[in-house]
Amino acid sequence: AIELSILADYYGSEIAAYDIQTTRCDLYGQCSHFQEKKYSERVMLIYDELHYDAVAISAFEGAPVEFDQSSVPVRKDRTIGPAEELAFETC
């Protein structure tokens, strides 16, 4: 958790870690003890109790890897919309 918090601050992006065992999502970089950070981007990770894997969204089936999207915009309501539903489907 400490490492993900540091990375979120360093990259200026929220990090959502989805635990595939419990389907729990831990969100890092959203706020600190003193202020809400409100980063505009979020990256998603899948956690399997051993290691983390980055989630990438493909533009279409068979699309070249160069077109994969690894970060998504955070909406004004602090959600990421359908991208989050897709992440939970992989759990």
Side-chain angles (χ1 to χ4, degrees), residues 27-82:
L27 190 57
Y28 303 92
Q30 189 176 36
C31 61
S32 69
H33 295 292
F34 305 108
Q35 65 183 9
E36 190 171 352
K37 296 182 183 176
K38 295 189 178 182
Y39 292 133
S40 63
E41 297 279 317
R42 183 180 299 171
V43 297
M44 296 177 286
L45 305 174
I46 301 293
Y47 176 63
D48 68 358
E49 302 294 328
L50 293 176
H51 67 281
Y52 294 91
D53 289 308
V55 173
I57 301 168
S58 180
F60 55 89
E61 190 172 335
V65 175
E66 298 83 36
F67 294 114
D68 286 354
Q69 182 179 347
S70 59
S71 65
V72 293
V74 177
R75 297 177 174 186
K76 290 182 188 218
D77 66 357
R78 307 311 304 157
T79 68
I80 56 172

Side-chain angles (χ1 to χ4, degrees), residues 17-33:
Y18 299 91
D19 184 330
I20 62 173
Q21 300 291 329
T22 65
T23 66
R24 185 186 75 230
C25 176
D26 296 316
L27 190 57
Y28 303 92
Q30 189 176 36
C31 61
S32 69
H33 295 292

